[in-house]
């Protein structure tokens, strides 16, 4: 909802957008949205669900995944599902199991509707196979009754290598099998489960209803079919799905080396590197010479300190300079220290401490603004192979919050020290993180496998 205008003479730095902490971006998603997954097992539906949920949350939509399999495993009557879930449980001829599965889906749909209609969220992702027209009609009728907009994502795959990889890497560790049978037994049983689903599988098509909206993702994104997209959320979903892949790659993130303004504790500006900063720039180049990352691209902000940090690197392609990677604009506070701001603009300091994510510097930006301008960068990171990003603290906090799946209120507090390098390796359901720290005094790197923590100082 729009904020009321400030009283005459009153200061405000709050962004006037259709946003509230309780309901998210209410004008953009006046009608709640359900994203319904469709497809045979081992086609990447849960992978898409989790990745899409992370993206929507990062862009400001309160989103939650409702996985019907988890409801099934908590059903008191689902003995087979709880104790091994052998393939016969998923036979279209198993009447008792069909009742359990239908009840699990009903419970998930009711919880999903409560989540959306209570205002707790604006987008729900219904993660299940939903392979029959009758099941999809049930979902459409339910959403129509609850006044919820419905969009289907069908993951279609006939590439045996992709299917085998999904079965081996993901399903063997499923709660249905873990600790109950060997990996080979689990794989054999799961392949029989797929065959049971194939007996009743009906792919999505336009004949299922005049109002049907969907996208088919074919062979992990090699091609797509899009039909009748409606509304802002559905457009964002299509845009995102057409840019993601799961090829092996790593993303490296680093702040520029220490700048003159850093050494003085001043915000922003465009000052050059100090002696320590130049040492880090050389060490960074040596690191990547030793690492020998294939096809490495370097993306850099347009600030002098970032360009100087990247100048010794030898990427496979020309270094690309992105305006979108420039540091957050501190407006009238550019060039000041935090103590200066406290003395000159105590109200600004108070507002920023109260809500650091939404606070906007007068004549400058908020973290929310930075997230908005970084969305094309995130899309490119999702599309690319190996990339090194040389940027600034606020910008890298926003990028890390996306890959770490951190809540937006935590985003402005991710601790990113100078002279450190983060290596991110996206996996199916998570993102590996390795932190390399460079010691200027002894000229050595150290590393640890972990996510960066939140910082101790609330104002940095």
């Amino acid at each position: 909802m729009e904020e009321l205008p400030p009283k005459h003479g009153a200061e405000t730095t709050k962004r006037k957008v259709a946003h509230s902490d309780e309901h998210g971006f209410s004008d953009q998603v006046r009608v709640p949205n359900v994203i319904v997954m469709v497809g045979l097992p081992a086609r990447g539906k849960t992978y898409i669900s989790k990745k899409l949920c992370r993206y929507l949350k990062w862009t400001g939509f309160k989103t939650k995944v409702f996985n019907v399999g988890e409801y099934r495993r908590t059903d008191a009557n689902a003995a087979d599902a709880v104790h091994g879930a052998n393939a016969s449980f998923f036979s279209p001829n198993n009447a008792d199991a069909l009742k359990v599965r239908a009840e699990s889906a009903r419970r998930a749909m009711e919880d999903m509707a409560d989540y959306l209609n209570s205002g707790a969220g604006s987008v729900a992702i219904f993660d299940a196979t939903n392979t029959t027209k009758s099941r999809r009609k049930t979902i459409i009728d339910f959403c129509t009754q609850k006044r919820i907009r419905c969009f289907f994502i069908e993951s279609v795959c006939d590439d045996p290598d992709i299917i085998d990889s999904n079965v081996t890497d993901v399903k063997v560790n499923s709660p249905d099998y873990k600790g109950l049978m060997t990996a080979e037994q689990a794989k054999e049983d799961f392949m029989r489960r797929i065959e049971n689903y194939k007996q009743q599988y009906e792919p999505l098509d336009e004949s299922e209803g005049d109002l049907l909206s969907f996208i088919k993702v074919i062979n992990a994104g090699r091609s797509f079919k899009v039909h009748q997209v409606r509304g802002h959320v559905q457009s964002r979903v299509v845009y995102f799905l057409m840019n993601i892949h799961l090829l092996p790659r790593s993303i490296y993130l680093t702040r520029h080396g220490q700048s003159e303004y850093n050494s003085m504790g001043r915000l922003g500006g465009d000052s050059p590197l100090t002696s320590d900063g130049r040492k880090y720039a050389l060490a960074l180049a040596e690191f990547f010479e030793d690492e020998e990352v294939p096809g490495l691209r370097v993306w850099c902000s347009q600030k002098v300190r970032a360009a100087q940090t990247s100048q010794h690197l030898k990427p496979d392609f020309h270094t690309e300079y992105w305006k979108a990677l420039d540091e957050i604009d501190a407006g009238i506070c550019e060039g000041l220290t935090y103590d200066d701001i406290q003395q000159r603009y105590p109200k600004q300091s108070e507002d920023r401490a109260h809500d650091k994510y939404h606070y906007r510097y007068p004549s400058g930006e908020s973290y929310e603004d930075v997230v908005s301008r970084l969305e094309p960068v995130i899309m490119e990171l999702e599309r690319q192979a190996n990339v090194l990003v040389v940027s600034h603290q606020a910008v890298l906090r926003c990028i890390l919050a996306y890959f770490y799946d951190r809540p937006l209120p935590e985003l402005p507090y991710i601790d990113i020290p100078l002279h450190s390098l983060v290596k991110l390796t996206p996996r199916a359901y998570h993102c590996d993180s390795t932190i390399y720290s460079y010691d200027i005094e002894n000229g050595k790197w150290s590393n640890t496998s972990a996510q960066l923590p939140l910082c101790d100082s609330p104002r940095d």
Side-chain angles (χ1 to χ4, degrees):
M1 60 188 70
E2 287 279 334
E3 293 187 353
L4 293 174
K7 295 178 181 178
H8 180 68
E11 280 189 302
T12 181
T13 56
K14 298 259 182 139
R15 188 181 182 192
K16 294 185 180 69
V17 295
H19 179 278
S20 72
D21 288 337
E22 186 177 353
H23 299 295
F25 292 85
S26 53
D27 282 358
Q28 292 181 357
V29 282
R30 184 73 67 183
V31 178
N33 282 261
V34 168
I35 312 298
V36 183
M37 303 306 303
V38 176
L40 293 169
R43 265 57 177 181
K45 297 184 301 300
T46 298
Y47 163 72
I48 292 172
S49 297
K50 289 180 179 291
K51 197 147 186 148
L52 182 59
C53 182
R54 183 183 71 184
Y55 165 72
L56 290 172
K57 288 193 294 184
W58 184 77
T59 52
F61 297 99
K62 292 191 174 181
T63 307
K64 184 177 179 181
V65 175
F66 293 82
N67 181 285
V68 174
E70 294 177 3
Y71 282 80
R72 167 176 58 77
R73 283 184 282 271
T74 60
D75 194 307
N77 297 316
D80 287 337
V82 175
H83 302 294
N86 62 63
S88 64
F89 184 83
F90 299 93
S91 167
N93 303 315
N94 189 333
D96 291 339
L98 285 171
K99 291 178 183 177
V100 171
R101 290 160 58 196
E103 174 61 16
S104 300
R106 186 198 65 78
R107 288 164 53 211
M109 286 193 292
E110 290 291 348
D111 286 353
M112 179 179 72
D114 289 344
Y115 171 74
L116 294 173
N117 292 330
S118 68
S122 54
V123 183
I125 301 175
F126 190 68
D127 182 15
T129 52
N130 301 314
T131 47
T132 64
K133 290 182 178 180
S134 62
R135 169 61 63 83
R136 295 193 290 269
K137 184 178 186 305
T138 298
I139 296 169
I140 292 170
D141 292 345
F142 178 86
C143 289
T144 301
Q145 179 188 359
K146 300 290 185 178
R147 299 178 62 83
I148 297 170
R149 184 176 285 153
C150 197
F151 183 68
F152 290 87
I153 300 173
E154 182 174 21
S155 184
V156 180
C157 185
D158 56 13
D159 185 319
D161 291 336
I162 296 175
I163 295 170
D164 186 69
S165 176
N166 283 345
V167 172
T168 302
D169 294 344
V170 179
K171 297 305 178 183
V172 168
N173 293 317
S174 165
D176 286 338
Y177 299 116
K178 204 165 187 178
L180 296 169
M181 57 182 73
T182 67
E184 193 57 39
Q185 288 172 328
K187 188 172 181 178
E188 289 176 6
D189 184 85
F190 196 79
M191 294 305 293
R192 289 195 296 271
R193 181 191 299 193
I194 293 173
E195 291 304 313
N196 279 329
Y197 271 104
K198 281 183 178 179
Q199 295 178 43
Q200 52 190 332
Y201 181 32
E202 298 171 293
L204 270 170
D205 64 64
E206 296 90 334
S207 67
E208 291 186 45
D210 295 337
L211 300 179
L212 186 69
S213 300
F214 66 81
I215 179 173
K216 286 179 182 270
V217 181
I218 301 165
N219 285 326
R222 290 177 192 163
S223 60
F224 302 87
K225 179 179 180 180
V226 182
H227 178 69
Q228 212 160 224
V229 174
R230 289 188 175 86
H232 180 74
V233 170
Q234 293 183 13
S235 297
R236 294 285 281 266
V237 168
V238 170
Y239 171 56
F240 178 72
L241 291 178
M242 295 181 78
N243 282 284
I244 63 173
H245 71 79
L246 192 55
L247 298 175
R249 50 38 185 284
S250 291
I251 298 163
Y252 298 85
L253 308 173
T254 186
R255 291 174 67 181
H256 53 80
Q258 185 192 53
S259 70
E260 292 179 359
Y261 264 27
N262 287 143
S263 66
M264 295 184 282
R266 297 188 180 279
L267 275 67
D270 200 15
S271 62
L273 297 181
T274 62
S275 173
D276 282 355
R278 291 191 293 273
K279 290 177 184 176
Y280 178 70
L282 288 168
L284 189 67
E286 291 172 2
F287 176 93
F288 280 99
E289 283 182 18
D290 294 340
E291 198 81 353
E292 296 182 344
V293 181
L296 180 69
R297 291 181 177 271
V298 176
W299 298 352
C300 182
S301 95
Q302 295 183 359
K303 296 297 183 182
V304 168
R305 57 195 185 274
Q308 288 181 334
T309 303
S310 66
Q311 65 182 332
H312 303 295
L313 293 161
K314 298 174 183 176
D316 290 16
F317 306 91
H318 291 297
T319 297
E320 301 173 51
Y321 296 92
W322 292 60
K323 178 68 174 171
L325 292 174
D326 285 359
E327 180 60 302
I328 188 171
D329 184 349
I332 63 172
C333 298
E334 284 278 320
L336 302 181
T337 67
Y338 286 114
D339 288 338
D340 291 338
I341 298 171
Q342 180 66 50
Q343 291 173 12
R344 297 188 196 184
Y345 309 111
K347 180 65 166 61
Q348 305 300 333
S349 293
E350 183 182 332
D351 285 351
R352 185 171 181 270
H354 176 68
D355 186 354
K356 195 174 176 183
Y357 179 75
H358 293 107
Y359 169 82
R360 175 187 274 171
Y361 286 102
S363 303
E365 290 182 299
S366 66
Y367 273 93
E368 185 180 29
D369 295 329
V370 177
V371 164
S372 180
R373 69 166 150 98
L374 283 174
E375 191 169 355
V377 176
I378 290 294
M379 288 297 110
E380 281 300 309
L381 286 174
E382 288 287 7
R383 292 173 58 182
Q384 296 293 334
N386 297 314
V387 179
L388 165 64
V389 178
V390 183
S391 188
H392 308 268
Q393 179 170 253
V395 170
L396 297 183
R397 281 172 167 167
C398 295
I399 295 173
L400 280 169
Y402 172 78
F403 285 103
Y404 283 175
D405 197 15
R406 290 281 180 86
L408 294 181
E410 289 185 7
L411 181 156
Y413 300 100
I414 297 174
D415 190 15
I416 309 175
L418 285 170
H419 306 156
S420 61
L421 174 69
V422 183
K423 178 182 179 181
L424 301 173
T425 306
R427 306 294 185 191
Y429 295 154
H430 68 282
C431 188
D432 292 340
S433 173
T434 303
I435 315 301
Y436 298 88
S437 301
Y438 184 69
D439 189 318
I440 296 291
E441 295 300 321
N442 65 27
K444 293 182 179 179
W445 290 92
S446 60
N447 68 82
T448 180
S449 295
Q451 290 191 2
L452 285 168
L454 302 184
C455 57
D456 295 327
S457 172
R459 74 178 186 178
D460 291 344

